[in-house]
Amino acid sequence: MSTTLTLTAADKAGRYRELLPQLAALIGSEEDAIAVMANVSAALKEAFGWHWVGFYRVVGDTLVLGPFQGPVACTRIPHGRGVCGSAWAKNETLVVADVDAFPGHIACSSLSRSEIVVPLTDSAGRVAAVLDIDSVHLADFDDTDRAALETLIPLFAPCLSAQG
């Protein structure tokens, strides 16, 4: 794959249609989860300009900061805490229109206003990491984001299982 993204669509759905095949090619058969997370976070940040895009890896009973793009972040998040820990505990994507209204929200950045967190599972179906994206705008994420970002889950399974 080229190291340059080709994105021409102005609308969100169109941008995802252009980006997702490029991400699939970027991930390819790479077995190193850190390398994949680094490139995916950079590509998503470049494509959409969100405030923060990154990953937290499951290490024991804690999410530990992985590759990201954006300002400095919280290093560890307990299971079930905040949006990331809750998405991990439920093993489901959480879309939060207003982070200040989310019970127990962990404010790593006071600029973040909305968030989407997608759990990433290994080939055995265990959550191995979460993709966390923050926006400075309220209600910036919707079902278009959820559906598109969830298509990444099976692309991550081989490299997450290889780390196991």
Side-chain angles (χ1 to χ4, degrees):
M1 151 149 190
S2 169
T3 56
T4 302
L5 296 176
T6 303
L7 301 168
T8 59
D11 67 304
K12 183 191 303 190
R15 255 196 165 5
Y16 277 120
R17 277 192 303 278
E18 293 174 343
L19 179 63
L20 292 173
Q22 294 178 75
L23 284 177
L26 184 63
I27 293 169
S29 60
E30 177 57 56
E31 292 184 0
D32 188 277
I34 300 299
V36 170
M37 291 175 186
N39 268 335
V40 169
S41 60
L44 288 169
K45 176 92 163 130
E46 180 181 337
F48 295 99
W50 291 311
H51 178 62
W52 197 91
V53 179
F55 294 87
Y56 283 92
R57 300 170 298 109
V58 174
V59 179
D61 62 352
T62 304
L63 290 172
V64 178
L65 182 64
F68 70 93
Q69 298 282 311
V72 297
C74 300
T75 305
R76 295 178 180 271
I77 299 173
H79 186 261
R81 295 270 325 273
V83 182
C84 289
S86 297
W88 171 26
K90 295 177 179 181
N91 191 11
E92 68 181 43
T93 299
L94 294 182
V95 177
V96 179
D98 180 353
V99 295
D100 292 331
F102 188 88
H105 175 253
I106 299 169
C108 296
S109 169
S110 61
L111 298 177
S112 294
R113 302 302 311 273
S114 61
E115 185 171 3
I116 185 169
V117 178
V118 181
L120 302 171
T121 52
D122 61 19
S123 58
R126 295 178 301 256
V127 177
V130 298
L131 167 59
D132 179 22
I133 305 174
D134 294 4
S135 173
V136 297
H137 304 288
L138 286 170
D140 206 15
F141 304 105
D142 56 26
D143 285 337
T144 298
D145 299 289
R146 176 194 309 265
L149 295 170
E150 286 179 347
T151 66
L152 297 175
I153 296 170
L155 300 177
F156 271 92
C159 70
L160 292 172
S161 298
Q163 304 301 300

